[in-house]
């Protein structure tokens, strides 16, 4: 009986996660809608990812929740409003974003990772943090699929030897 329950829990977990993957912000993104979307050019990903994240950073500075939501993939939009304006959300009322810049954009499979540096002021004190945004292609458009603390160090300029080599 315990084995049957475990299998049922596993099946339910897989079915619960399937809509997220099929929504265009997961590992099955490339399989959804093949043929219906224009084929992206290889160089458009970094540019589109940078545009989406910059728009999100601008929305944070302006405290525009609607403009921030617009940059997100559909699965993230559902929980965004409450989380974004909560005590630790990107659009919380008790702090202001005094500076935000993109420091690196790089490919992560079919997605793009955009590293940022954000300075937040709370009660007159400023603190900087790094946030990594993952930007994916969903329904023919680029959108922010994930946000997490951290980021990549900027890549060295072209022609500069990589110190890790």
């Amino acid at each position: 009986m315990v084995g049957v329950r475990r299998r049922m829990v596993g099946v339910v977990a897989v079915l619960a996660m399937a809509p997220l993957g099929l929504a265009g912000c997961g590992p099955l993104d490339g399989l959804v809608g093949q043929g219906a979307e224009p084929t992206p050019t290889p160089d458009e990903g970094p540019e589109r990812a940078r545009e989406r994240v910059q728009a999100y950073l601008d929305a944070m500075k302006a405290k525009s929740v609607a403009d921030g939501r617009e940059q997100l993939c559909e699965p993230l939009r559902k929980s965004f409003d409450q989380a974004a304006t909560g005590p630790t959300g990107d659009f919380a009322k008790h702090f202001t974003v005094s500076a935000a810049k993109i420091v690196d954009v790089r490919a992560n499979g079919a997605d793009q990772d955009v590293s940022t540096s954000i300075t937040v002021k709370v009660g007159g004190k400023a603190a900087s943090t790094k946030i990594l945004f993952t930007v994916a292609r969903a329904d023919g458009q680029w959108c922010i699929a994930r946000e997490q603390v951290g980021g990549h160090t900027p890549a060295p300029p072209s022609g500069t030897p990589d110190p890790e080599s």
Side-chain angles (χ1 to χ4, degrees):
M1 189 66 165
V2 172
V4 171
R5 281 189 183 164
R6 283 187 183 165
R7 273 186 254 141
M8 288 299 289
V9 168
V11 168
V12 168
V14 168
L15 291 176
M17 295 303 291
L20 294 177
L22 295 175
C25 289
L28 301 177
D29 186 24
L31 299 177
V32 178
Q34 283 185 342
E37 301 172 6
T39 304
T41 61
D43 297 330
E44 92 169 331
E47 179 183 330
R48 298 292 180 236
R50 182 179 289 276
E51 289 171 1
R52 282 296 183 166
V53 171
Q54 187 61 57
Y56 189 82
L57 296 176
D58 293 345
M60 285 175 61
K61 285 181 181 178
K63 295 276 191 211
S64 175
V65 175
D67 289 343
R69 182 187 323 100
E70 189 176 308
Q71 309 313 313
L72 302 176
C73 294
E74 191 60 39
L76 295 180
R77 290 180 182 181
K78 293 175 181 149
S79 62
F80 174 74
D81 290 340
Q82 185 175 12
T85 58
T88 59
D90 292 345
F91 296 83
K93 292 183 182 196
H94 65 279
F95 67 78
T96 58
V97 176
S98 59
K101 65 179 181 175
I102 295 172
V103 296
D104 187 64
V105 179
R106 63 179 68 178
N108 179 3
D111 301 336
Q112 298 289 320
D113 281 346
V114 181
S115 300
T116 63
S117 176
I118 300 172
T119 303
V120 176
K121 286 187 180 179
V122 179
K125 294 182 181 181
S128 292
T129 188
K130 293 180 180 180
I131 304 291
L132 178 67
F133 293 92
T134 300
V135 181
R137 217 172 142 78
D139 297 325
Q141 300 295 318
W142 289 93
C143 57
I144 296 173
R146 186 172 65 208
E147 173 185 346
Q148 65 190 41
V149 175
H152 301 293
T153 348
S158 302
T160 304
D162 186 355
E164 296 178 10
S165 303

